[in-house]
Amino acid sequence: MKTIKVAVLAGALFSSLALAAASPLTVVQDYMAAWNAHDSAKAAQYLATDVVYYDAANGTPVKGKDHAEKEVIGAFIKAVPDLRWKMTGKPVYDHDTIAFRWQFSGKNSGEWAGAPATNNAIKFEGVSYITVNNGKITWQGDYYDAKKLDEELKPQAN
């Protein structure tokens, strides 16, 4: 019985250490994989309850995990159900903050910010700065060419 208790305690300790030892880069890579799996709930699991999500194109930060899941992640996945978000350069990081260039692509086959789908292909680049504390994203800032995205989202003339 004592051996079982020790084994259970050791397993719990190693599981806790594995979670605590997840590097900020691993957290970000797993977060991006959840986006690419088109699973907003899974992506939101990587966010801290009080996360701040800043999209430079909007200018107003989205505060809180539930709001970020619905208003950012879910909105993007709904608008571009086949989205692909990938790092295009080597990430730079210092302790808890990661910066990286990325490319976002897919087809706008769902409603975007109240506008109907255009069925246009979109592809734009940007940079994200993400802060990770205790295995959770506490701040994300996305900076990209919103004018290019707006052009790609315009309905095509027939």
Side-chain angles (χ1 to χ4, degrees):
M1 185 72 163
K2 190 173 186 179
T3 304
I4 293 173
K5 287 181 183 178
V6 170
V8 169
L9 280 172
L13 176 63
F14 288 122
S15 294
S16 297
L17 288 175
L19 288 174
S23 74
L25 180 59
T26 301
V27 170
V28 170
Q29 289 170 329
D30 291 346
Y31 171 64
M32 291 177 75
W35 272 75
N36 289 324
H38 314 119
D39 188 339
S40 59
K42 184 173 182 179
Q45 290 178 347
Y46 295 95
L47 304 177
T49 303
D50 59 349
V51 66
V52 175
Y53 198 116
Y54 179 74
D55 182 326
N58 292 334
T60 303
V62 173
K63 296 180 181 178
K65 177 180 176 177
D66 294 338
H67 289 286
E69 178 182 351
K70 181 181 176 195
E71 298 169 27
V72 181
I73 304 166
F76 269 89
I77 291 172
K78 181 178 179 183
V80 187
D82 66 342
L83 71 84
R84 178 79 179 118
W85 182 28
K86 67 178 183 175
M87 285 187 192
T88 57
K90 184 177 178 182
V92 177
Y93 54 99
D94 182 29
H95 303 290
D96 63 353
T97 303
I98 298 172
F100 59 94
R101 290 179 50 212
W102 50 258
Q103 180 184 78
F104 188 96
S105 60
K107 183 177 182 179
N108 173 222
S109 57
E111 179 184 302
W112 192 302
T118 61
N119 291 309
N120 294 349
I122 62 168
K123 184 187 239 182
F124 61 101
E125 295 181 354
V127 174
S128 288
Y129 292 90
I130 298 178
T131 302
V132 178
N133 288 305
N134 298 317
K136 297 289 184 178
I137 296 170
T138 58
W139 191 87
Q140 179 171 346
D142 291 337
Y143 305 87
Y144 56 92
D145 186 350
K147 185 175 179 179
K148 181 179 189 296
L149 175 60
D150 288 344
E151 289 295 319
E152 291 178 342
L153 289 171
K154 283 186 180 177
Q156 301 297 313
N158 292 331

